[in-house]
Amino acid sequence: MSEFIALPGPWFWFIVAGLLLIGELLSPGIFLMWLAGAAVLTGVVDFLLPLAWQTEVVMFAALSALLVLASWNWVKLQRTPQTDQPHLNLRHGAYVGRVFALEKAIVNGSGKIRIEDTLWDVDGPDLPVGARVKVTGVNGLRLIASKVE
């Protein structure tokens, strides 16, 4: 009964890794590559230490989860812009922390401020025209402001 599901040794894992890499070439993303890496590592361990098939499957699952989680952090770091101009093409992000006068009163949480030659929608507490507000954040294309004391 122990040979109910017989995996043909480490070569099975190398073949699985090859099939996963082919799948990676045929589909967008970089997910299957990490599963292929887990299959290769499982095959190498099985080559050095012959294991029961149940142990191989558990090892493959654990290595897959570990490699996918580790790669997720690496991918997030790669997507973070590494530049001296982080607000390039995100002009509104550069206004956070600056103080401006209201061009149109904030009524029911919505008003406008003028920055250079552009009127920006602003959300914040109700304030009269000319009140000074500090931009504290961005919500889509709307600036979030608070009253300057």
Side-chain angles (χ1 to χ4, degrees):
M1 188 70 176
S2 66
E3 295 298 320
F4 179 66
I5 299 178
L7 301 179
W11 295 110
F12 170 80
W13 295 108
F14 297 139
I15 292 168
V16 167
L19 292 174
L20 287 168
L21 287 174
I22 290 170
E24 181 68 39
L25 290 173
L26 297 175
S27 64
I30 57 170
F31 180 73
L32 295 178
M33 180 174 66
W34 307 114
L35 300 181
V40 167
L41 290 174
T42 302
V44 168
V45 170
D46 190 32
F47 186 76
L48 297 174
L49 305 167
L51 302 171
W53 70 268
Q54 297 93 337
T55 308
E56 293 175 18
V57 170
V58 169
M59 180 184 300
F60 173 71
L63 286 171
S64 294
L66 183 70
L67 288 176
V68 167
L69 290 174
S71 69
W72 183 250
N73 290 330
W74 178 74
V75 168
K76 281 195 313 189
L77 288 175
Q78 298 303 314
R79 290 187 179 185
T80 304
Q82 305 294 329
T83 178
D84 60 341
Q85 297 178 346
H87 299 297
L88 185 64
N89 294 332
L90 299 172
R91 229 175 40 168
H92 50 285
Y95 301 138
V96 175
R98 293 179 55 190
V99 176
F100 302 98
L102 284 175
E103 181 80 16
K104 181 180 173 192
I106 298 179
V107 179
N108 294 328
S110 182
K112 294 193 181 284
I113 57 176
R114 180 175 299 278
I115 303 175
E116 297 169 0
D117 62 347
T118 306
L119 281 176
W120 288 84
D121 292 325
V122 63
D123 295 333
D126 290 353
L127 295 168
V129 172
R132 300 192 49 80
V133 293
K134 180 176 183 177
V135 177
T136 58
V138 177
N139 182 13
L141 291 176
R142 298 181 67 85
L143 301 175
I144 300 169
S146 63
K147 182 179 179 182
V148 174
E149 299 298 328

